[in-house]
Structures are given as C-alpha cells and as structure tokens.
C-alpha cells in the first residue's frame, strides 16, 4: 500500500524584510512579503526523498494553516514535487497560538490521512520549534524530531538527532511524526516542469467548520498566552570602527582591557 | 508561598549552569521545587539546594534514557500533580522545549518559550522574549492555566540561596506513548575542554572569512587566550570547517555572552538572530560595508589573518 506522507508547511513573513507587530500585537503579515518558511523547504525535500526511496510508491500532501496568501507556500511545495495540498483558512484563525494551530493541523492531517507527518524544525517567524512535539501529542503518534538524517522502510522510521549533549539514533513505528533540521540536506529548486505541473495539482480549501472546530478554540481570543507589550530594540549606539594599519590587534586588545575583559 | 517547579538539566548528576539560573529566577515568583530525572538524579540535590530548591523530586528508570522526550513529560506531569505549582520552568534546550510543550498541552496551559527574563506580575509571571532576530523585545504572560515557561541560558546570574533541598522520590507511571520513540544509540559529544557555547561569558566566532578548517586554529587560539567558547557561522559549518554543534544563529545556538567576537562573519540576519543580545560585540572584517559593523561596540576593518593573531599575542602578554 502506498505510503501517505503529510508535510506541514508555514507561510511566513520574509525574515530579511522589516518584520514588526500589528496594533493587536500579532505578527504583522500585511506589510512584509510572505513566503514558504525556508526551514519547511527541508521538510518537503525529505518527504520527496522518502518517496523516491520508496520507489515513488507514496503520496505527498502539503498542509498549511494560514491566510489566503499562504497558497503561495503550497504552490511552491507542489512545484518542488508534492502531489496535492490542503489549505485551512478562516477569518477566526487570526492570532491563533501554537495550541490552536496544532489543533487545526491535527484535524487537517487526519482529514488528509497519513502514515508519516513531516514538519520543519521551527518556523522562521515564531521560531518556537515546539509545534511538532505538540502535534505528536495530539495525534497520539511517536515524535521523532530534530532529525538531520532520516529514512523510512518497512513501516519503521529511523533518524539521527543531534541533541544538545549527544547524537542519538532514533527509531519508531509508523504512523509517526518527524521534524527535520536544515542539516538534513539542501532543498531542491522547482524545475520549470514542476512549476507548470503544480498549476494542475489539487488544492483543497477548508475552514474551521469543515474540520469540526469552533471559533473559540482558536484565534486571538482562544490563545493561552498574551503578548502585553512589544518594543523595538533600540538601535545599538554606533561603535568605534578602526581601519587596521598594522596595529589593529593591539588596538582591539586595548579596547578589551578598557572593558575589563583582559 | 507558592511553589514553582524547576526542571533540572543534568548529566549523570552534574547540574548544568542554566538550571542554577532558573532556580534564581524561580525565587522571584515562588519557592523552587526541583525535578531531577534519570541517571544520577539524586546526586543533583546538594547543588540545587545550594541555589534555593526547598525540595528535590527525583525519579530514575531506564525509560528516561531509552526513549525520547515522553517519559520526561510523564514524570513532570506526575510532579505537577504532586505539587500543584504556580508555574513550571524548564531550560530552553531543544529537548527542554519539547518536554515543556507537551506538558503544557496536557495541562491545558499556555506556554512561553525562550524567555530571557522573568518577573512576578499581578496576573502571574511576566516573561521577556526577544523576537524577530532580536529586533523586538516582548513581554508576555500566560492567560490560561499554569504558566509553563522555558528560559534561555545566560538569562540571569546564578545566585546562591541555600535551602533545605529535601529529596523525595517521585512516583511515575509511564503512559502508553512513553515508549513510542526508541533511542537506539547515543554518542555523547566529546568535550573540547572549552566552555559550553551557550553558557560562556566570551564567545569567539569564525565565518567564511576563516577560509578553511585548517585555519580555525587561529580562532581557537584567540578563544583559549580569553577562556572563551568557539562559535561558527553557518557558512563555515556548511563548508565542513567546524562542527554544527558550534553554529551560532537561528538554526544553531543562540548565545548572549558578555563579549562576542566575530571574525570573517558578514552578519546576516540569521546569524544576528543568535548573537544580537550579546552585551559587547566586536568584529573583525575586511569589508567596511559588512552589516556586522552595525552591531559592534568596536570593529576593526582588516584582514583577520593579521588582526586575530596579533590580538591573541597581545592578550597573552597582558595576561602574563
Ligand atoms: C533558514 C536559514 C537559517 C540560517 N541559519 C543560520 C544560522 O543559524 N547561523 C548563521 O550563521 N547563518 C545562518 N544562515 C545563513 C546566513 O543567511 C548566512 O548565509 C551566513 O550567516 C553567512 O556566513 P558568513 O558570514 O560566515 O559568510 P559570508 O556572508 O560569506 O561572510 C563572510 C565575511 O567574511 C569577510 N572576510 C573574508 N575574508 C576575510 C579576511 N581574510 N579577514 C576578514 N574578513 C574576511 C567578508 O568580508 C564577509 O563579510 C541561515 C540561512 C537561512 C536561510
Ligand atoms: N500555520 C502552520 N501551518 C502548517 N504548518 C505549521 C504551521 N505552523 C507551524 N507549522 C509546522 O511546525 C513547524 C514548527 O513550527 P513552530 O513550532 O511554530 O516553530 C514548522 O516548521 C511547520 O512544519
């Protein structure tokens, strides 16, 4: 039976843009161009490699929870080679926190049907890196996260996790959820053929109602944390910049001594 | 006074420094009760008591080492049920964050990750976070349930405050999910003898400008003269010049030392994300236009192969 892979991808404001907060202290998603989170490209890539290693006997569904423009992220993943997409969009989702997002994703991946869920290591905007663990808890499947290497065969997923104090070799039975790091291998660029093919691939649009979720379980009101204040970090006061004329190292030492570092 | 659960990060009973910082912060909001799990758990008691733990709940079982994350969530939940604390604090390691996140879901409680400061507030603890590659600072609070908060290393100076530290065995029954992900093998990271990157007071980093693994000894020599940890940019790591465990930035470690010295690093946003909150920043770069110079307290426009060895020599001379 063909392996069903679901990849969770997020549409995020470009990190090289001028990111800021909206008046309600949620991430401003209007003024900065969005894109498929670069860290989720690695998740799509690993899903494609697992499919290839499985003699192409797999179907890859990409899922996103996000505003209308988030469809761009799905398109990108489809043009890389994913087979179909699910887009959950609802006005009530504005301001949803990680628990709300994970509740929606859990319903959406169950709706899609899965043997393996693949996530990125963290989103480039929220950078919590905890959604995969929460989603695994919600789905009740093993969590095999932060992998720099992964393979799937015979109903088992194995992978390498480079932890804080050790490197671990992990193993779990499917169905399971994995997350992969940016050490797992560069993501491919969509080919022209891939971009053309993506235009014809199905994108299913769902709202909260379709997933049997209530508005008060998500959104800013349903969030379990509250941002009370956001202040722009004051620009660092301009430092001293010296051109090396042969004594640069010594001048630097003088500075460090003045600051009591030596 | 309300009790605050503090998750102890330790290796075979040796407590890591961020846990002492956590205990220090915990005292601002209540009485710390430490939870130590796995091999050597009880050996942590003396140290955590020294930093204010009134009680130390310990549990050891093969599950903690043989399976990923979930056994620790089960244990922390058991500790929560036993203590009924006002907040739960966990060190912001990759594993710590995952443990905290799953616990928060089980408690139906809000979660704050990567706090850099913590203070008591009228409606519960207020956490400071640094977001968007450290270009914004936010203050947040948990509005539902018991606050579960993970705190980054170097967020507070550990202050000793001796307390009873009474050791109590924690009774843990593991959930079905506990044995879902097997740790087939574990290779501990070899110690370099240098301070740990996230805990170091001084970090000396090298980037693409170092131009080869064989040149990294220049960076290491400067680090050793200052008693510093060694960091690297992703460009240097991707080129295979230095291990990923030393990468500083968005997808590496985030550091906040007293002094950060960047050599041959341009200062891309993803690198800044991991070092921008350092107290004093110094850079050596041959390109006067490099964005890293926007951050520095002191910068040298020059060739690192000239400047760094001269600096190292000068540091050694001055230190005698
Ligand atoms: C999703 C994502 C995550 C990322 N995560 C990280 C991360 O965690 N950490 C990270 O660092 N990057 C990260 N990056 C990569 C980041 O965007 C940059 O590509 C990277 O930081 C560049 O490294 P660098 O500064 O060493 O190299 P470069 O940008 O190539 O800069 C090299 C610098 O060295 C200088 N130089 C060269 N020779 C000399 C010399 N002899 N003497 C003095 N100066 C010299 C040059 O002038 C230049 O400024 C990430 C990127 C993405 C997309
Ligand atoms: N809105 C979303 N839609 C789909 N996937 C998401 C969303 N938010 C987070 N994810 C997934 O969860 C991972 C970690 O996100 P985070 O915990 O927010 O850093 C990402 O790399 C994605 O794979």
């Amino acid at each position: 039976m063909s392996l069903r892979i679901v990849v969770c991808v997020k549409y995020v404001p470009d990190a090289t843009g001028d990111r800021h907060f909206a008046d309600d202290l949620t991430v401003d998603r209007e003024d900065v161009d969005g894109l498929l989170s670069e860290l989720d490209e690695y998740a799509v890539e690993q899903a494609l490699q697992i499919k290839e290693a499985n003699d192409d006997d797999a179907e890859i569904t990409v899922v996103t929870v996000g505003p209308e423009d988030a469809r761009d992220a799905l398109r990108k993943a489809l043009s890389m080679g994913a087979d179909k997409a699910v887009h959950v969009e609802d006005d009530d989702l504005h301001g949803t926190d990680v628990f709300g997002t994970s509740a929606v994703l859990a319903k959406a991946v169950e709706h899609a049907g899965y043997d393996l869920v693949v996530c990125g290591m963290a989103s480039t905007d929220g950078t919590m890196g905890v959604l995969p663990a929460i989603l695994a808890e919600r789905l009740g499947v093993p969590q095999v996260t932060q992998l720099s290497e992964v393979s799937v065969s015979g109903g088992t997923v194995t992978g390498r996790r480079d932890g804080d104090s050790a490197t671990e070799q992990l193993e779990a039975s499917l169905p399971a959820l994995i997350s992969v790091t940016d050490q797992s291998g560069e993501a491919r660029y969509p080919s022209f053929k891939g971009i053309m093919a993506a235009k014809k691939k199905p994108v299913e649009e769902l709202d909260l109602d379709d997933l049997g979720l209530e508005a008060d379980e998500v959104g800013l009101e349903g969030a379990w944390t509250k941002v009370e204040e956001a202040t722009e970090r004051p620009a660092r006061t301009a430092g001293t910049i010296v051109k090396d004329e042969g004594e640069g190292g010594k001048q630097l030492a003088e500075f460090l001594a003045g600051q009591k570092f030596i | 006074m309300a009790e605050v659960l503090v998750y102890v990060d330790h290796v075979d009973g040796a407590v890591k420094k961020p846990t002492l910082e956590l205990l220090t912060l915990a005292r601002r909001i209540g009485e710390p009760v430490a939870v130590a799990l796995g091999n050597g758990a009880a050996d942590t008691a003396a140290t955590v008591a020294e930093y204010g733990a009134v009680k130390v709940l310990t549990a050891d079982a093969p599950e903690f080492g043989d399976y990923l994350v979930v056994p620790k969530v089960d244990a922390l939940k058991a500790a929560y049920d036993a203590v009924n604390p006002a907040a739960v604090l966990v060190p912001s390691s990759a594993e710590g964050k995952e443990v905290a996140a799953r616990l928060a879901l089980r408690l139906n409680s809000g979660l704050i990750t990567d706090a850099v400061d913590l203070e008591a507030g009228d409606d519960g603890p207020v956490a400071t976070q640094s977001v968007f590659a450290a270009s914004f600072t936010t203050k947040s609070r948990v509005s539902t349930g018991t606050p579960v908060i993970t705190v980054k290393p170097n967020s507070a100076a550990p202050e000793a405050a001796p307390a009873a530290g009474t050791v109590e065995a924690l009774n843990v029954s593991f959930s079905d999910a506990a044995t879902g992900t097997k740790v087939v093998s574990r290779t501990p990271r070899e110690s370099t003898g240098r301070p740990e990157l996230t805990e170091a007071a001084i970090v000396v980093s090298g980037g693409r400008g170092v131009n080869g693994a064989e040149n990294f000894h220049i960076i290491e020599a400067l680090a050793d003269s200052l008693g510093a940890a060694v960091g690297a940019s992703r460009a240097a790591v991707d080129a295979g010049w230095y291990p990923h465990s030393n990468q500083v930035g968005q997808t590496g470690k985030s550091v906040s030392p007293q002094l950060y010295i960047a050599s041959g690093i341009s200062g891309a946003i993803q690198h800044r994300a991991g070092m921008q909150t350092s107290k004093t920043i110094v850079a050596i770069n041959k390109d006067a236009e490099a964005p890293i110079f926007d951050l520095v307290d002191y910068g040298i426009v020059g060739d690192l192969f000239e400047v760094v060895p001269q600096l190292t020599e000068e540091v050694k001379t001055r230190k005698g």
Side-chain angles (χ1 to χ4, degrees):
Chain A
M1 204 195 79
S2 155
L3 188 68
R4 295 166 305 163
I5 306 174
V6 176
V7 189
C8 300
V9 300
K10 190 174 185 186
Y11 178 77
V12 297
D14 188 349
T16 57
D18 183 17
R19 295 179 292 180
H20 52 273
F21 287 90
D23 291 342
D24 63 355
L25 298 180
T26 61
V27 176
D28 186 339
R29 297 177 191 280
E30 311 264 294
D31 292 345
V32 179
D33 286 341
L35 43 73
L36 166 62
S37 171
E38 280 137 329
L39 293 174
D40 293 343
E41 290 182 16
Y42 295 92
V44 176
E45 176 62 34
Q46 287 309 308
L48 293 167
Q49 289 191 22
I50 290 166
K51 176 172 174 171
E52 285 154 9
N54 203 42
D55 293 329
D56 277 342
D57 186 20
E59 185 177 53
I60 302 175
T61 308
V62 284
V63 178
T64 196
V65 177
E68 191 183 339
D69 291 345
R71 223 171 296 160
D72 290 354
L74 296 175
R75 282 286 162 223
K76 171 98 187 253
L78 293 172
S79 57
M80 287 172 72
D83 300 297
K84 57 193 183 70
V86 174
H87 180 195
V88 186
E89 187 197 347
D90 200 303
D91 287 344
D92 290 325
L93 283 168
H94 175 79
T96 304
D97 70 358
V98 66
F99 296 104
T101 304
S102 62
V104 178
L105 276 173
K107 293 278 189 196
V109 301
E110 270 163 358
H111 169 87
Y114 67 95
D115 302 299
L116 181 70
V117 178
V118 186
C119 292
M121 65 186 286
S123 54
T124 56
D125 56 349
T127 68
M128 295 180 82
V130 295
L131 184 130
I134 296 172
L135 186 55
E137 174 91 20
R138 284 203 188 271
L139 294 171
V141 300
Q143 152 190 354
V144 197
T145 46
Q146 308 281 345
L147 303 179
S148 53
E149 259 174 37
V150 59
S151 65
V152 174
S153 78
T156 303
V157 52
T158 54
R160 194 181 83 210
R161 169 170 163 124
D162 294 318
D164 299 309
S165 54
T167 291
E168 294 163 329
Q169 208 61 46
L170 304 177
E171 185 183 290
S173 302
L174 299 184
L177 176 145
I178 66 172
S179 76
V180 301
T181 72
D182 62 340
Q183 296 290 299
S184 59
E186 275 313 305
R188 67 194 66 187
Y189 286 105
S191 63
F192 179 70
K193 210 173 129 219
I195 293 169
M196 295 315 287
K199 299 195 162 128
K200 297 192 198 77
K201 291 177 177 171
V203 178
E204 186 180 8
E205 297 283 347
L206 300 173
D207 62 15
L208 290 177
D209 228 21
D210 298 324
L211 293 172
L213 286 160
E214 300 292 332
D216 60 3
E217 296 174 62
V218 297
L220 200 50
E221 293 308 312
W224 297 350
T225 50
K226 195 168 163 17
V227 179
E228 299 197 316
E229 216 181 288
T231 21
E232 189 152 11
R233 206 182 155 74
R236 291 184 84 103
T237 43
T240 311
I241 296 177
V242 183
K243 190 167 168 5
D244 179 35
E245 309 275 5
E247 298 281 297
K250 289 188 180 153
Q251 286 165 290
L252 201 42
E254 186 61 36
F255 169 78
L256 295 181
Q259 303 282 316
K260 308 263 181 289
F261 288 115
I262 11 179
Chain B
M1 195 151 82
E3 290 172 310
V4 176
L5 273 192
V6 173
Y7 180 87
V8 178
D9 190 6
H10 70 100
V11 176
D12 299 333
V15 181
K16 299 224 184 153
K17 185 164 155 260
T19 301
L20 308 181
E21 299 166 7
L22 229 53
L23 288 162
T24 306
L25 289 172
R27 295 203 309 268
R28 294 186 188 166
I29 51 180
E31 276 190 334
V33 174
V35 182
L37 307 173
N39 189 33
D43 299 338
T44 64
T47 312
V48 297
E50 169 82 19
Y51 284 84
V54 294
K55 221 188 287 174
V56 190
L57 305 177
T58 64
D60 191 10
E63 280 83 353
F64 293 122
D66 293 349
Y67 299 93
L68 194 72
V69 174
V70 188
K72 292 171 178 160
V73 183
D74 290 343
L76 201 51
K77 175 70 167 55
Y80 177 91
D81 292 339
V83 173
N84 201 13
V88 182
L89 304 186
V90 181
S92 264
S93 60
E95 182 186 73
K97 286 208 279 189
E98 293 183 333
V99 170
R102 295 185 73 133
L103 176 75
L105 178 64
R106 288 187 191 180
L107 300 177
N108 281 316
S109 290
L111 168 74
I112 291 174
T113 54
D114 295 326
V116 295
D117 199 5
L118 204 58
E119 57 208 301
D122 294 341
D123 305 308
V126 177
T128 305
Q129 287 163 293
S130 171
V131 303
F132 295 159
S135 58
F136 275 82
T137 302
T138 59
K139 286 193 192 291
S140 310
R141 135 185 109 67
V142 167
S143 49
T144 300
T146 306
V148 179
I149 302 173
T150 80
V151 182
K152 278 197 185 186
N154 272 350
S155 294
E159 284 160 28
T166 321
V167 178
E168 276 177 31
L170 179 67
N171 224 331
V172 185
S173 50
F174 292 108
S175 63
D176 288 344
T179 53
T181 306
K182 194 166 172 42
V183 179
V184 182
S185 68
R186 175 180 286 115
T187 319
R189 185 145 299 126
E190 269 174 51
S191 166
T192 57
R194 297 195 178 91
E196 195 147 338
L197 193 52
T198 52
E199 300 172 14
I202 304 180
V203 175
V204 176
S205 289
R208 205 195 304 270
V210 175
N211 200 26
E214 68 281 7
N215 298 332
F216 248 88
H217 69 91
I218 299 178
I219 303 297
E220 293 182 332
L222 174 58
D224 292 343
S225 74
L226 292 163
V230 176
S233 73
R234 178 163 142 186
V237 169
D238 283 355
W241 303 341
Y242 223 68
H244 178 252
S245 48
N246 294 71
Q247 183 179 315
V248 171
Q250 188 187 355
T251 55
K253 302 270 160 56
S254 122
V255 302
S256 198
Q258 296 299 317
L259 172 64
Y260 187 84
I261 305 183
S263 302
I265 293 178
S266 62
I269 183 87
Q270 296 89 354
H271 188 79
R272 295 162 79 131
M275 47 68 72
Q276 189 147 230
T277 57
S278 306
K279 302 286 177 306
T280 299
I281 298 176
V282 167
I284 300 142
N285 195 306
K286 66 181 183 190
D287 175 10
E289 304 297 316
I292 190 84
F293 285 126
D294 297 343
L295 300 181
V296 299
D297 296 285
Y298 201 90
I300 302 278
V301 181
D303 185 347
L304 73 91
F305 293 100
E306 306 285 334
V307 178
V308 174
Q310 190 181 73
L311 171 59
T312 309
E313 278 317 304
E314 190 65 20
V315 172
K316 283 195 202 151
T317 313
R318 284 177 186 249
K319 283 195 166 177

